[in-house]
Amino acid sequence: MKYLHIKYGSNMMLVWVLLITFISNAYAQNKEDILFKSGDKIAFIGNSITHNGDFHHYILLYYATRFPDKKVTFYNLGIKGDNANSFLRRMDADIIPHKAGWSIVMAGMNDVNRGLYTPEKQAEPDIQQRKERALKDFESYYDSFLTRLKRTKTNIILQKPSIYDQTGDLTAVNLVGVNGALEKCGKIIDKLAKKHKVMVIDYWTIMHEVNANLQQTDVKSTIVGQDRVHPGPPGHFVMAYTFLKAMDTPNNVSSLTIDKGSITDVKYGTVSNLNMQEDELTFDYLEERLPFPVPPEAEKALTLVPFVDDFNTQLLQVKDLEEGVYTLTIDDILISNFTQEELAKGINLAERKNTPQYQQALKVFKEAVAYRNVQRQLREIKFVEFSYLPKELWGGDFEPIKTFISEYLSFLQVSKDARYETFHSIFEAYLKNKPQQMDLEKQANTLPEAIYQLNQPQSHRFRLAKADLDMPDRSEAPFGVNLAGAEFAHQKTPGVYNRDYTYPTVAELDYFKSKGLTLFRLPFLWERIQHELDGALDEVELGRMMAFVDAARERNLWVILDMHNYGRRFVNGTREIIGSANLPIKHFEDVWGKLAEQFRTKENIWAYGLMNEPHGMLDSIPWFNIAQRAIFKIREMDMDTPIMVGGDSWSSTYRWQQASGNLKDLVDPSANLIFEGHLYFDKDASGTYKGTYDEEGTTPETGIVRARPFVEWLKENNLKGFVGEYGVPDDDPRWLVTLDNMLNYLKDNGVNGTYWAAGPWWNKYKLAIEPRDGIDRPQLKVLLKYLKVNGK
C-alpha cells in the first residue's frame, strides 16, 4: 500500500489518500462501477466512534444523494468501549444476524488500553511490557475475529483507527504515547489485511497530518475533541472523505455545457426544451443526482480536505454569451447573478444552498439524520446489554433484566461502591429506553425507505437572463421585516455558529421578496463581528454578514445593519455600558469605522443602525455623546450611506420627546440621519405580551397613541424617521386591527418601518411571521397592505 500526497488550492493543504493497489485502471476510469451495489447491506462495526455514527452517516448520505437509483442499507454496529475481543464476544448475538454483504470494521482506540499511558503509571517497572502485551492481544483477538467473520461470506474492509491528539493544548489529561500505539495498530491492521486479503482505509495518517497542520497556527485546534479521542463533526467528515476517496467513488454530481445555444456536453442528466433568445436562455434539466448537503457543523472540514473539488461538483457552463451580468433562476427561484466570464468558466451549483436540488438534498439529509439518531438509540440499548448484563439476558425478557439491575444496584449501594451513581444513571436510561426498542427497530426499517423516496430525481426549469441591477427608488420608503438570528444568545460571545445563533437564509429573502417586502433589518452582535476591542473584524463573521448583504443586492433588496447590543457589550466576561471605564466611546467609534470601511461600497445598505434600544446609559456620558462620535467616525469612511440613530429609553416612540428629544441636535456632515423608534402594543410596551388583548389594556388606537410623539417630533424638526420594531401576537384578530391602524398612521405621515420579526429559529414565537409548514402567518396579511410609504 502507498500514499499519495496532494497539494490543494492556495492553502497548500496536504491530503493523504490511500490507494488500493488491487483496483485496476479500468475500475478507476469507470465511474459507474461503484463499490456498493443496489440492495447491498453494509455494517459498520466498531467502538464509540462508530457508535456515534457520524462518519458512516455522511457516507450513507453521499450514496443516497449521489446514487438515488441504487438503494443500499447501512447498519450501525458500534458499541462504545468495545475492542477486538468484544467483537468476538457479541459476534453471534449482534453482528452475524444482520447478514451484511459488507462488514466495515474499526478497532484500536480501546485495544491499546489508554489507561496504561496515564502519567502516574509510567514509573511502574513493567509498564512497557504491558503496553506491548496490549498490542499483541489486539493482533490475536482481531485475527480471530476476522477469521470468524470471513466464514460468513461477507466482504470485509478494515479501517485504521482515528488519532489520539497528544500534541494539542486541550483540556483532557495528555496520555502521551497513545497516538504512537495507534500508529502501531495501523501496521498490525496492514499485516492482517494482507493475511486475510481485505481492503484497508487509513484514517490515522490523514487525521494525524491534518491535525499537525491545524496546530501549526493554533495549538488549541484539534481535528478530534477536547477529550483527545472522539472526533467532532469535522473530524468525522474528514473520515468520510477518506473512505470515499480510497474507494475511488464517482465524484461529479452533474455537468452541463452549453455553447452558442447548443448542448456540447451533458453528464448525469437530460436536457429538454432548450431555447436561446437574445438575452435569455431557458431549458428543462433532469439531473440524475443531488448535491451533497454539507451540514454547518462539519463545514470546517471543507478547509481541510478538497471535498468540493473531489466529490461535489455540479457544473453549469454557458459559453459565448454577450458581455454582462446574468441572473440564474431555477423554478423561478433566484439563485444568483453571474458575469459572462463566470458562466463561461463554469459555476458549481452544489455550493449554492438555495437551489431546489440542494433543498431536496436537505430533505434527504433530515431523514438520514433521523435514521442515524434511531440507530444511536438502539446502540445505547445494546451497549448496556453487551457491556453490563450477563450473556444469558441478552435479548431476553424485560422482567428478569429489571430484577438483575435492581439487585446489582442494591449490591453497589450497600457496599458503598463509588461506581453506584454512574451505574444508576446508565441503568435508569436503559430501563426507560428498552421498552421502546421494538418501535425504534420499526423506525430503523422504515426510515431508509423514506430516504429513497425523497432522493428521486426531479426536473427543474432553468432560466438565464440579463440581470436587472437597479435598486428600488429609495424615495419610495419601503416597509420591511427584521430577519433575526445573528443576535441570538447574546450572553454567549462569540458563541458557536448554527448552535447558539444563525444567519437568515436566502430562502427567506426570496420568500419575503415574493410578498413584496424589500427592506430587511439585520440584527448582529458587536462581540461576534469584533472579538477584541479595537481588533480586526472577525473574517468569518464578516463573511456571513457580507454574504447576506450580497444575496440581498442580487435580489435588489435593501438592508439595515443593526448592532443589537442595547448600548452595551461584554468585556472580559462582564457586560459593560458604553462610556464606562472598561468600555470607552473610542471602542464604539472603532468598530463602526471598520464596519463602514467594509460596507461603504455596498449599494443596498439602507442605513447603518448605530445601536438597538440603548437604555440606562451613564449620566456622565449620555447616548447623545456616544452617537455623535460614532457619526463622525463613520463619516471619515463613508459620506454617503445614511446613519440610523435609535433613541434612548429602549428607543420608545411614546417616550421619545422626553428621552430622546435632544437627538435633533446631532450633527451629520452629510446631513443624512434617520431616527429610529420602537413600539409595541402591550401594557408595558415591552413586546412580551404576557397577557391577553384585554388584560394588556390594548385598544385599536394604542399604536397610534404610542407613535404620535415620535411622528410629531419628526415633523416639528423636519427630520427623517423610521420605526425599526413593532409586532403583535397571532392569537387574537384584534391585535391585527391595532397593527393595521398604526401602520396606516405611519404611512400617512411618511414614516416606514420593519416588523419584528422573522428568521429561521423562531419556531412558535407568537410574533413571528416566518411561515410555518409553508403557510403564511396571519400578521402578514396586514403587513402586505403597507409595502411602501410612497408609490403603489
Side-chain angles (χ1 to χ4, degrees):
M1 304 204 177
K2 52 185 177 180
Y3 302 91
L4 176 65
H5 294 258
I6 300 175
K7 291 183 177 180
Y8 171 71
S10 58
N11 293 329
M12 302 296 283
M13 292 186 297
L14 291 176
V15 180
W16 286 260
V17 181
L18 180 65
L19 299 180
I20 309 302
T21 56
F22 60 81
I23 296 178
S24 67
N25 290 333
Y27 177 87
Q29 291 171 2
N30 184 359
K31 293 299 183 182
E32 292 307 305
D33 190 10
I34 61 174
L35 183 68
F36 303 137
K37 305 298 191 296
S38 185
D40 276 353
K41 297 179 179 179
I42 301 105
F44 282 83
I45 303 162
N47 50 40
S48 58
I49 295 169
T50 302
H51 183 140
N52 172 277
D54 272 346
F55 77 92
H56 52 89
H57 157 67
Y58 296 144
I59 298 169
L60 176 154
L61 183 62
Y62 185 85
Y63 269 80
T65 52
R66 199 53 43 90
F67 313 112
D69 60 331
K70 296 177 173 63
K71 181 180 176 182
V72 294
T73 305
F74 282 57
Y75 296 113
N76 183 342
L77 299 186
I79 292 287
K80 53 190 176 184
D82 260 14
N83 55 30
N85 189 27
S86 304
F87 299 165
L88 282 166
R89 184 168 178 262
R90 62 180 170 96
M91 193 166 192
D92 292 330
D94 189 44
I95 295 172
I96 293 176
H98 284 86
K99 298 180 180 179
W102 290 87
S103 295
I104 303 172
V105 191
M106 181 163 55
M109 186 61 73
N110 298 315
D111 299 81
V112 299
N113 191 350
R114 295 194 304 277
L116 296 176
Y117 295 83
T118 57
E120 61 270 17
K121 285 187 177 289
Q122 301 317 297
E124 295 179 4
D126 63 343
I127 191 64
Q128 192 58 38
Q129 290 88 338
R130 291 162 67 190
K131 292 175 181 177
E132 292 173 1
R133 178 66 186 178
L135 291 172
K136 288 180 181 178
D137 287 345
F138 167 64
E139 181 174 354
S140 175
Y141 288 131
Y142 211 0
D143 188 17
S144 298
F145 171 71
L146 293 174
T147 299
R148 286 201 60 198
L149 191 61
K150 283 178 67 177
R151 293 176 191 153
T152 68
K153 305 303 182 183
T154 185
N155 297 291
I156 298 172
I157 299 176
L158 300 184
Q159 302 166 110
K160 293 186 182 181
S162 52
I163 65 166
Y164 176 91
D165 189 340
Q166 61 188 42
T167 54
D169 182 9
L170 310 178
T171 55
V173 174
N174 194 352
L175 308 181
V176 177
V178 169
N179 202 41
L182 292 172
E183 184 180 19
K184 291 178 181 177
C185 284
K187 293 177 180 178
I188 292 171
I189 290 168
D190 282 336
K191 178 181 174 182
L192 292 174
K194 185 176 181 180
K195 174 181 177 181
H196 293 279
K197 298 178 182 178
V198 298
M199 306 184 208
V200 175
I201 308 292
D202 185 0
Y203 299 135
W204 188 93
T205 299
I206 187 170
M207 296 184 77
H208 179 72
E209 297 298 339
V210 165
N211 210 49
N213 290 339
L214 280 173
Q215 291 172 1
Q216 283 181 1
T217 55
D218 183 3
V219 73
K220 293 184 179 294
S221 294
T222 180
I223 192 65
V224 292
Q226 290 295 314
D227 67 354
R228 304 181 182 272
V229 173
H230 295 93
H236 276 273
F237 196 90
V238 170
M239 292 168 67
Y241 166 84
T242 307
F243 185 96
L244 295 171
K245 193 71 176 175
M247 294 298 102
D248 198 32
T249 309
N251 49 10
N252 288 339
V253 179
S254 62
S255 177
L256 173 62
T257 301
I258 299 173
D259 192 359
K260 296 182 176 64
S262 299
I263 298 169
T264 59
D265 181 68
V266 60
K267 291 185 176 71
Y268 313 120
T270 305
V271 178
S272 59
N273 301 320
L274 179 68
N275 185 19
M276 181 72 177
Q277 297 181 357
E278 185 175 349
D279 289 327
E280 181 180 271
L281 171 69
T282 59
F283 56 91
D284 296 318
Y285 191 15
L286 176 62
E287 295 166 276
E288 299 169 4
R289 302 169 171 183
L290 294 172
F292 185 93
V294 180
E297 62 270 19
E299 284 181 347
K300 180 182 177 182
L302 300 182
T303 66
L304 307 176
V305 292
F307 179 84
V308 172
D309 285 353
D310 287 349
F311 292 113
N312 216 23
T313 301
Q314 186 183 11
L315 182 69
L316 174 64
Q317 188 176 32
V318 184
K319 299 180 179 180
D320 200 41
L321 291 171
E322 292 183 5
E323 186 175 348
V325 178
Y326 292 80
T327 296
L328 173 66
T329 63
I330 304 177
D331 297 342
D332 296 324
I333 297 169
L334 191 153
I335 305 307
S336 191
N337 291 336
F338 302 99
T339 65
Q340 170 263 332
E341 292 88 352
E342 289 173 324
L343 289 164
K345 183 180 179 182
I347 56 176
N348 184 5
L349 291 176
E351 295 183 290
R352 304 282 168 171
K353 297 182 180 181
N354 58 329
T355 68
Q357 301 94 312
Y358 197 96
Q359 292 301 308
Q360 183 184 355
L362 285 177
K363 294 178 182 177
V364 177
F365 171 75
K366 182 178 179 181
E367 292 301 312
V369 167
Y371 183 48
R372 179 203 65 187
N373 291 344
V374 164
Q375 291 200 83
R376 278 182 182 172
Q377 289 177 274
L378 286 169
R379 297 322 290 171
E380 288 292 331
I381 293 170
K382 296 297 184 183
F383 158 68
V384 173
E385 293 179 349
F386 296 139
S387 301
Y388 301 115
L389 300 186
K391 200 167 186 177
E392 59 269 18
L393 291 181
W394 294 357
D397 293 337
F398 194 35
E399 289 304 319
I401 292 174
K402 287 197 294 185
T403 299
F404 171 83
I405 288 174
S406 177
E407 291 174 352
Y408 189 69
L409 288 175
S410 296
F411 171 77
L412 292 177
Q413 190 174 32
V414 169
S415 59
K416 297 183 179 179
D417 193 304
R419 299 171 298 169
Y420 171 77
E421 292 299 332
T422 300
F423 277 91
H424 183 270
S425 177
I426 291 170
F427 286 136
E428 187 176 42
Y430 172 81
L431 293 172
K432 179 181 178 181
N433 294 331
K434 179 65 175 177
Q436 303 176 41
Q437 183 173 345
M438 289 185 64
D439 181 58
L440 291 170
E441 288 173 347
K442 287 180 182 178
Q443 292 181 53
N445 289 329
T446 58
L447 282 168
E449 295 293 333
I451 290 171
Y452 279 85
Q453 289 174 3
L454 289 170
N455 69 350
Q456 295 307 300
Q458 299 175 12
S459 182
H460 299 284
R461 183 67 172 172
F462 281 63
R463 179 177 180 269
L464 198 62
K466 278 286 184 76
D468 174 12
L469 301 178
D470 294 330
M471 289 297 299
D473 187 351
R474 182 183 281 273
S475 67
E476 292 179 337
F479 285 88
V481 62
N482 287 267
L483 287 181
E487 85 290 7
F488 280 16
H490 71 273
Q491 74 282 6
K492 296 181 180 179
T493 55
V496 178
Y497 176 62
N498 265 333
R499 187 182 73 188
D500 299 320
Y501 71 102
T502 192
Y503 268 74
T505 64
V506 169
E508 286 166 312
L509 288 175
D510 289 333
Y511 168 77
F512 287 109
K513 181 182 179 181
S514 74
K515 301 297 183 181
L517 296 169
T518 56
L519 176 61
F520 298 90
R521 184 170 179 253
L522 177 68
F524 68 93
L525 286 185
W526 180 357
E527 297 92 337
R528 287 185 182 139
I529 196 67
Q530 187 185 46
H531 293 182
E532 302 293 334
L533 293 176
D534 294 340
L537 300 182
D538 181 75
E539 291 185 6
V540 175
E541 197 71 10
L542 180 63
R544 294 179 183 127
M545 193 181 295
M546 282 284 189
F548 177 82
V549 171
D550 289 343
R553 177 63 186 93
E554 288 178 340
R555 291 154 175 77
N556 299 332
L557 301 173
W558 295 104
V559 176
I560 299 166
L561 299 181
D562 161 48
M563 185 175 287
H564 213 81
N565 278 76
Y566 305 92
R568 292 146 172 78
R569 79 157 273 163
F570 281 97
V571 180
N572 297 325
T574 302
R575 206 173 187 206
E576 303 283 357
I577 298 174
I578 301 173
S580 64
N582 293 324
L583 189 58
I585 301 176
K586 66 177 182 178
H587 299 308
F588 187 57
E589 293 178 74
D590 175 80
V591 67
W592 267 116
K594 288 171 178 171
L595 284 167
E597 184 178 18
Q598 290 292 328
F599 287 94
R600 62 186 175 186
T601 61
K602 301 297 181 182
E603 302 170 296
N604 63 322
I605 301 297
W606 180 267
Y608 298 129
L610 286 186
M611 181 58 63
N612 177 72
E613 296 184 352
H615 65 277
M617 308 304 287
L618 300 174
D619 293 338
S620 58
I621 304 180
W623 170 238
F624 178 96
N625 296 15
I626 298 166
Q628 183 63 78
R629 284 178 56 178
I631 290 166
F632 285 148
K633 187 65 177 181
I634 288 172
R635 291 302 178 219
E636 291 177 14
M637 298 294 171
D638 182 350
M639 291 293 291
D640 299 321
T641 305
I643 297 172
M644 188 171 285
V645 184
D648 208 336
S649 190
W650 305 89
S651 297
S652 167
T653 56
Y654 190 58
R655 298 187 296 272
W656 189 274
Q657 295 186 18
Q658 297 81 14
S660 305
N662 64 337
L663 295 182
K664 66 182 174 58
D665 297 323
L666 288 171
V667 175
D668 177 12
S670 297
N672 201 2
L673 297 181
I674 303 171
F675 294 91
E676 179 190 358
H678 291 181
L679 68 90
Y680 291 95
F681 311 132
D682 45 350
K683 187 177 298 183
D684 61 3
S686 66
T688 55
Y689 295 98
K690 296 175 183 176
T692 65
Y693 186 89
D694 294 318
E695 290 169 344
E696 295 292 351
T698 308
T699 72
E701 305 300 314
T702 296
I704 297 173
V705 170
R706 293 183 180 177
R708 184 175 289 121
F710 177 60
V711 170
E712 291 180 348
W713 179 85
L714 292 171
K715 286 182 175 180
E716 289 170 7
N717 296 286
N718 194 29
L719 298 172
K720 291 181 286 188
F722 183 84
V723 180
E725 290 185 20
Y726 45 84
V728 294
D730 59 3
D731 55 8
D732 189 324
R734 289 179 293 175
W735 293 116
L736 303 181
V737 175
T738 304
L739 175 65
D740 195 342
N741 291 339
M742 188 275 296
L743 287 173
N744 189 59
Y745 174 76
L746 290 183
K747 185 177 188 297
D748 286 347
N749 286 279
V751 178
N752 58 332
T754 46
Y755 181 90
W756 185 270
W761 281 5
W762 281 122
N763 295 321
K764 295 184 178 180
Y765 175 53
K766 59 187 176 182
L767 272 64
I769 56 168
E770 190 74 19
R772 295 180 196 165
D773 299 322
I775 301 173
D776 294 345
R777 305 305 301 142
Q779 302 95 318
L780 188 66
K781 187 174 182 180
V782 175
L783 299 182
L784 298 187
K785 294 170 63 177
Y786 305 96
L787 298 178
K788 302 172 185 176
V789 168
N790 306 308
K792 295 182 181 179

